[in-house]
Amino acid sequence: AVVSTQSTGSSMTSEVKNPQRNVPIILGGSVSLITVLYTLTVISYHIAIPISDMIQDISVASRFGDITMGKFGEVLLALVVVVSSLGNVHCTLLMASRYNHSAAVEGLLPKPFSLVSRKFKTPVVSILFLGLETAVVTLLGDLNGLIDSAVFCRVPFYTLCCVGVFVMRRRAPDLDRPYRVPLIFPAFFILVGVYNSITPFTSQDTWLISVVWVSVLLTGIPVYLVFMRNVFKITVFSEWSSKVTRLLADKLNCE
């Protein structure tokens, strides 16, 4: 949750007014609040529910509500979890759509992802694509496996972003920065990210699926070289991208 909060807040900095003042307040306040709430929640669970019950495939929140408030509490906390999950989905969609849009603006993804709604000023093509992609993957896969795979695939890139902070500080020390993050935070995240990226390969239960997902991620390299860098000088890809961009801009009222 802390990582999700940080990444969501950081991805929206270009749309935040006075980021020098507001971004540190947003990140510091939200991360601190979530840390306290999660800690108190876990402590409450451990007080009310035996460890032997927790390790079973049950809804811990609903069980906690049943123990403390009866049937009403079970239903209430189940609804709280649903609302919380929906909020996380909305934040993730908000964040991921900006990633695709920014990458398209920089020429790292196809041009259609750079389109922005004239009315709402949001990356509508990126949002629609992510919604469709999520629906298809959810229908085809096991939900728990998808969650584990999503976390495994995201953490290395978050870690690389933190490495990039050190690289940019060295290569462009005088670059104008809306806010300047203390290096202790990306350094700590790099250590945690490296540990979390290596750990799945040390377990007999997860090493194989980890290799599979690494292989899937590596397929992005040849796709990028062929379609975006156009190393083989094939013009049909750029022509197709331009036509699709114009079509979507017209149909979705984008610019």
Side-chain angles (χ1 to χ4, degrees), residues 17-209:
K17 295 182 179 180
N18 192 9
Q20 297 92 331
R21 173 184 178 274
N22 293 329
V23 169
I25 294 175
I26 292 170
L27 294 182
S30 59
V31 169
S32 300
L33 178 61
I34 288 175
T35 300
V36 172
L37 292 177
Y38 264 66
T39 302
L40 293 176
T41 300
V42 171
I43 292 174
S44 301
Y45 286 166
H46 279 279
I47 292 175
I49 306 174
I51 295 295
S52 57
D53 290 348
M54 279 192 179
I55 61 177
Q56 299 177 8
D57 189 16
I58 63 170
S59 173
V60 177
S62 296
R63 181 66 180 276
F64 177 80
D66 183 42
I67 293 174
T68 56
M69 295 178 285
K71 190 66 177 179
F72 170 77
E74 180 182 359
V75 175
L76 175 63
L77 289 191
L79 291 175
V80 169
V81 170
V82 171
V83 173
S84 177
S85 299
L86 287 175
N88 183 65
V89 169
H90 292 157
C91 290
T92 302
L93 182 62
L94 188 71
M95 167 192 66
S97 62
R98 269 63 180 181
Y99 287 162
N100 289 348
H101 171 263
S102 298
V105 170
E106 296 294 331
L108 303 176
L109 284 178
K111 290 180 181 179
F113 291 108
S114 66
L115 293 175
V116 175
S117 170
R118 288 191 176 93
K119 181 179 181 180
F120 301 105
K121 304 302 180 183
T122 53
V124 60
V125 175
S126 181
I127 292 174
L128 292 175
F129 173 79
L130 288 173
L132 177 62
E133 178 188 35
T134 303
V136 172
V137 173
T138 302
L139 292 174
L140 295 180
D142 171 66
L143 187 58
N144 291 329
L146 289 174
I147 293 173
D148 293 339
S149 300
V151 173
F152 174 78
C153 292
R154 288 168 64 180
V155 169
F157 292 99
Y158 290 153
T159 305
L160 289 174
C161 288
C162 292
V163 172
V165 173
F166 288 90
V167 173
M168 293 304 297
R169 288 286 178 89
R170 182 176 180 83
R171 292 185 177 179
D174 300 324
L175 184 68
D176 182 37
R177 293 174 170 86
Y179 61 97
R180 194 179 184 91
V181 61
L183 293 179
I184 183 63
F185 295 115
F188 176 74
F189 191 92
I190 289 171
L191 294 176
V192 176
V194 170
Y195 173 80
N196 288 338
S197 298
I198 293 176
T199 300
F201 293 97
T202 63
S203 171
Q204 292 184 348
D205 297 329
T206 58
W207 74 268
L208 182 57
I209 189 63

